[in-house]
Amino acid sequence: MVKYQEANLDRVFAALADPTRRALLARLEAEESLSVSELAQPFPVSLPAVMKHLDVLSDAGLISRAKTGRTVACRLNAGPMEEAMNWLNRYERFWNGSLDRLANFLEKE
């Protein structure tokens, strides 16, 4: 069970590591559903390249795709991001401690 969850988390972080994929997710966050061609429009890469990015996002569970006729629509699935945030939140105390020390240092200066 743990290995399965770790593999999912690895896929989510790998998918989020690419700026094009993050931009695709941001577009889907702004719109409920977009076709692949609508998603690809503002990017300076080919449609097949965008489709490969969508494959990575889909494998990570971050998007779902539904085909209606010849149109494939994509939707955001934020559930896996919540799992990633839960993992990151375990380390928040380290960030907060460092920021608190920095604030104390700056206040003394």
Side-chain angles (χ1 to χ4, degrees):
M1 182 77 171
V2 172
K3 292 288 185 192
Y4 176 73
Q5 289 175 340
E6 287 177 6
N8 286 343
L9 195 57
D10 290 347
R11 282 194 293 274
V12 169
F13 281 121
L16 294 174
D18 184 86
T20 301
R21 291 193 285 268
R22 290 192 306 270
L24 288 166
L25 291 173
R27 293 209 57 224
L28 287 172
E29 187 267 333
E31 300 280 337
E32 184 175 329
S33 177
L34 290 170
S35 71
V36 171
S37 59
E38 289 171 328
L39 273 171
Q41 182 191 16
F43 295 98
V45 296
S46 67
L47 183 60
V50 169
M51 291 176 70
K52 286 182 182 181
H53 283 298
L54 293 174
D55 286 341
V56 173
L57 292 170
S58 180
D59 289 345
L62 294 168
I63 65 166
S64 60
R65 292 186 267 197
K67 188 172 184 177
T68 305
R70 293 173 39 179
T71 304
V72 177
C74 298
R75 288 176 169 253
L76 177 66
N77 177 16
M81 282 188 251
E82 182 180 8
E83 184 180 332
M85 282 303 301
N86 290 338
W87 187 87
L88 288 170
N89 284 336
R90 295 187 332 204
Y91 300 95
E92 183 178 19
R93 63 188 163 105
F94 297 110
W95 304 327
N96 288 341
S98 296
L99 292 174
D100 290 344
R101 286 190 299 278
L102 177 61
N104 288 335
F105 173 78
L106 294 174
E107 287 173 3
K108 290 178 184 177
E109 290 295 311

